[in-house]
Amino acid sequence: MTNDLTTQFNNAQSPDQQSVLAQSNASREMEEVKGAIFLAKQFPRNYFESEKRIQDACKRPSLATTATYAYKRGTSKVEGPSIRLAEVLAQNWGNLSYGIQELEQRDGESVAKAYCWDLETNVRQEKIFTVKHVRSARGNLTKLTDPRDIYERVASDGARRLRACILGVIPGDVVEMAIKQCRLTLAGESDKPLKDRISGALSHFKENYGVTQEMIEEHFGYNASSFSEFDLAQLTSIRNSLKDNVSRVEDWFNKDVGKQQTSGLTADFNKEKDEVKSDANVPAEQPELPLE
């Protein structure tokens, strides 16, 4: 209702009045920027405290499990920090202005901007991009008309650009330190045995993405019983990639593997059936007569 009244008020104004209003908004935004820069200069970041806060945040298992993503590109693997980790880095690094802003909404598409600005050093990363108001599902395109669906689509596409902007401002060694701490957290701060966590991950892939254990084992090249903490971390990165729609199941797993192979339990079961059947066809042995 407020937006409708504002639109009617602006339409009812003369061009001169609208120009004055635009100048007033621009002046207010400029004063806000000046105030943010002034505070950043008055209270500069303490690099040691910032790094300590980042390390402490990466010791949380809830963050460590979503800190990285991974996907295949051709014959190589691409991996890196997720948008969740990038947001934690920005929050704890301090004196950063970052976000996603929709600049214009046209018929069937939106023009948006992702940015990150270090108010202390005046280093700025900015990416302007266009988002089509469509959703792709199973090869079909669905046009989006609901404002909430459009907002979520812009936010989803903008998250990857925002991550790139944040990582372009924060020093690379700080990012590497955060990733290393997250891996240490995954390896040493779980109250569940590794075997149970691997079993839970396999069940999650089966239930949510239709990915069987055989498909996962074919991807890694060895049995799940040989998985280590590092393999589980990689599997978690793949799950995050699928969850964030960065990649598809087909980018990681061969769906024909499940049709060509059977699980070890099935093979053992069939082997036992064959042995029972074979024993049933063999006549019982006669007891040997004692030698005279």
Side-chain angles (χ1 to χ4, degrees), residues 96-157:
L96 292 181
S97 175
Y98 61 95
I100 304 169
Q101 181 181 3
E102 187 176 38
L103 303 176
E104 181 183 1
Q105 187 172 129
R106 300 191 289 258
D107 184 25
E109 64 180 17
S110 294
V111 179
K113 176 179 71 175
Y115 65 92
C116 182
W117 183 14
D118 191 325
L119 300 173
E120 286 189 33
T121 62
N122 201 30
V123 174
R124 182 182 177 93
Q125 288 277 338
E126 181 179 291
K127 297 183 183 298
I128 297 177
F129 56 98
T130 302
V131 181
K132 299 291 184 181
H133 296 168
V134 294
R135 180 188 293 119
S136 177
R138 298 180 180 179
N140 298 322
L141 295 178
T142 304
K143 186 176 180 180
L144 303 179
T145 56
D146 188 272
R148 179 176 179 179
D149 292 336
I150 295 174
Y151 164 79
E152 292 177 350
R153 178 64 180 175
V154 173
S156 176
D157 283 19

Side-chain angles (χ1 to χ4, degrees), residues 205-257:
F205 272 87
K206 176 64 176 178
E207 295 172 1
N208 293 275
Y209 303 106
V211 177
T212 63
Q213 178 176 335
E214 290 79 16
M215 295 164 64
I216 295 175
E217 291 174 340
E218 190 270 344
H219 169 77
F220 283 93
Y222 39 84
N223 294 333
S225 58
S226 302
F227 282 7
S228 64
E229 290 282 359
F230 180 75
D231 298 315
L232 181 60
Q234 283 188 309
L235 201 57
T236 303
S237 296
I238 296 174
R239 184 204 66 181
N240 295 337
S241 178
L242 296 174
K243 183 180 178 180
D244 294 342
N245 295 321
V246 176
S247 64
R248 301 174 299 174
V249 172
E250 295 80 4
D251 297 332
W252 291 103
F253 307 107
N254 183 1
K255 290 188 174 182
D256 295 331
V257 171

Side-chain angles (χ1 to χ4, degrees), residues 4 21 36 61 68 83-84 93 166 183 216-217 262 275 283:
D4 294 339
L21 181 61
T68 60
I83 179 60
R84 299 293 167 257
W93 190 242
I166 293 175
R183 289 176 176 172
I216 295 175
E217 291 174 340
T262 56
E275 290 176 353

Side-chain angles (χ1 to χ4, degrees), residues 285-289:
E285 295 183 359
Q286 300 295 328
E288 294 184 1
L289 296 177

